[in-house]
């Protein structure tokens, strides 16, 4: 299958792209607002995984092209740009595409990181609201740190909490996640429960910032 990462040139896109390409048989399409930037990022990720190898399983494309090819479209852009990004590609999505939100809205002040809820409740629900009803949205990856994913020597041994209103889509995302070495999954129910998942992330970052022995934390429930 094709895994499209909108804004995949950034931190979490790199981590997710590397792990999927290394551990699964899926192809990865790095999306960007600029195709050349996506192609450069894809070349860099290929080089990280297999220097000098001719591996075409990670390619770069515009966000629109990536969205049009993805069986999964993972929205890897900062929350304030998420809705514009999704709206710009929504007519490009395939009929059976599952859209995945790793997004968390946070603020930062002198005391640390703080969760910012929205009127809708969560970024995952905001994404769902701007997509046609038939496009399933699944929340996942919010509690994984890019630094943990990009450190390919690190044994993750972490859970990913999955939310969504469509069971079949959640099962597809669960299968994708469980293909990544060291990741387990937990089902937190409906997409409306994404706010609780997203709100854990600032806690994980504050713990990392205040404890020298805790870096790039994730969650583990089992
Ligand atoms: N970083 C983490 O550890 C982490 C962990 C869990 C969840 N997340 C979530 O993942 C999402 C991405 O985080 P990140 O840290 O990877 O972000 P990032 O590195 O700051 O940015 C990701 C990409 O967003 C695109 N972008 C930047 N400005 C944009 C704009 N004005 N309009 C559209 N796209 C724009 C850029 O891609 P192009 O310039 O190539 O278009 C950039 O490479 C966020 O919602 C965050 O909450 C992050």
């Amino acid at each position: 299958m094709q895994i499209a990462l909108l804004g995949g040139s950034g931190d979490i896109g790199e981590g997710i792209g590397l792990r999927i390409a290394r551990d699964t048989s899926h192809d990865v399409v790095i999306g960007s607002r600029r195709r050349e930037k996506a192609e450069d990022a894809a070349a860099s990720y290929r080089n990280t995984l297999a220097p000098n190898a001719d591996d075409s399983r990670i390619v770069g494309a515009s966000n629109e092209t990536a969205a049009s090819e993805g069986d999964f479209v993972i929205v890897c852009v900062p929350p304030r740009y998420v809705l514009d990004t999704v709206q710009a590609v929504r007519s490009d999505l395939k009929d059976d595409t599952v859209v995945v939100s790793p997004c968390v809205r946070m603020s930062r002040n002198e005391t640390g990181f703080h969760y910012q809820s929205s009127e809708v409740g969560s970024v995952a629900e905001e994404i769902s609201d701007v997509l046609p009803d038939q496009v399933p949205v699944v929340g996942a990856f919010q509690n994984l740190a890019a630094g943990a994913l990009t450190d390919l020597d690190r044994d993750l041994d972490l859970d990913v909490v999955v939310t969504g209103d469509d069971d079949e889509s959640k099962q597809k995302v669960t299968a994708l996640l469980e293909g990544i070495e060291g990741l387990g999954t937990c089902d937190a129910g409906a997409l409306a429960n994404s706010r609780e998942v997203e709100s854990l992330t600032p806690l994980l970052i504050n713990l990392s910032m205040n404890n020298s022995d805790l870096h790039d934390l994730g969650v583990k429930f089992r």
Side-chain angles (χ1 to χ4, degrees):
M1 280 191 285
Q2 300 272 2
I3 317 300
L5 304 172
L6 306 183
S9 53
D11 294 339
I12 199 73
E14 176 177 8
I16 294 172
L18 287 174
R19 293 276 176 171
I20 288 175
R22 190 193 68 173
D23 296 346
T24 77
S25 58
H26 302 305
D27 294 330
V28 174
V29 188
I30 302 300
S32 169
R33 289 166 294 170
R34 284 196 304 115
R35 181 174 54 82
E36 299 77 12
K37 184 177 174 186
E39 287 170 347
D40 288 349
S44 159
Y45 304 167
R46 287 197 299 271
N47 191 51
T48 299
L49 289 175
N52 307 316
D54 184 21
D55 182 354
S56 59
R57 289 198 314 116
I58 310 181
V59 298
S62 67
N63 279 334
E64 289 80 2
T65 301
S68 72
E69 294 178 356
D71 299 293
F72 296 89
V73 171
I74 307 179
V75 186
C76 301
V77 302
R80 62 185 176 282
Y81 309 128
V82 158
L83 298 187
D84 284 348
T85 302
V86 171
Q87 276 167 328
V89 304
R90 65 181 165 192
S91 61
D92 298 302
L93 298 172
K94 297 197 292 189
D95 284 346
D96 55 353
T97 293
V98 179
V99 174
V100 180
S101 172
C103 305
V104 176
R105 184 176 287 107
M106 292 180 282
S107 61
R108 183 180 189 178
N109 64 16
E110 63 287 354
T111 61
F113 284 84
H114 303 282
Y115 179 63
Q116 283 193 307
S117 63
S118 66
E119 254 178 55
V120 175
S122 62
V123 185
E125 291 164 278
E126 289 173 19
I127 291 173
S128 182
D129 281 356
V130 298
L131 287 170
D133 287 347
Q134 70 274 14
V135 180
V137 177
V138 171
F141 295 105
Q142 297 101 322
N143 307 140
L144 289 176
L149 294 172
T150 52
D151 177 0
L152 294 173
D153 294 329
R154 178 161 166 169
D155 178 14
L156 294 175
D157 191 26
L158 294 171
D159 286 328
V160 175
V161 182
V162 177
T163 52
D165 295 333
D166 178 59
D167 285 342
E168 193 186 333
S169 307
K170 270 203 293 196
Q171 282 162 14
K172 287 183 188 172
V173 174
T174 296
L176 172 68
L177 286 161
E178 291 185 349
I180 298 176
E181 222 175 282
L183 289 187
T185 57
C186 302
D187 183 348
L191 197 69
N193 300 342
S194 303
R195 63 198 78 172
E196 284 73 30
V197 185
E198 295 175 11
S199 70
L200 279 180
T201 301
L203 169 64
L204 298 172
I205 299 173
N206 290 333
L207 287 168
S208 289
M209 287 175 60
N210 289 289
N211 296 271
S212 57
D213 58 335
L214 300 176
H215 285 299
D216 293 328
L217 287 182
V219 295
K220 179 84 178 158
F221 296 102
R222 289 204 174 87

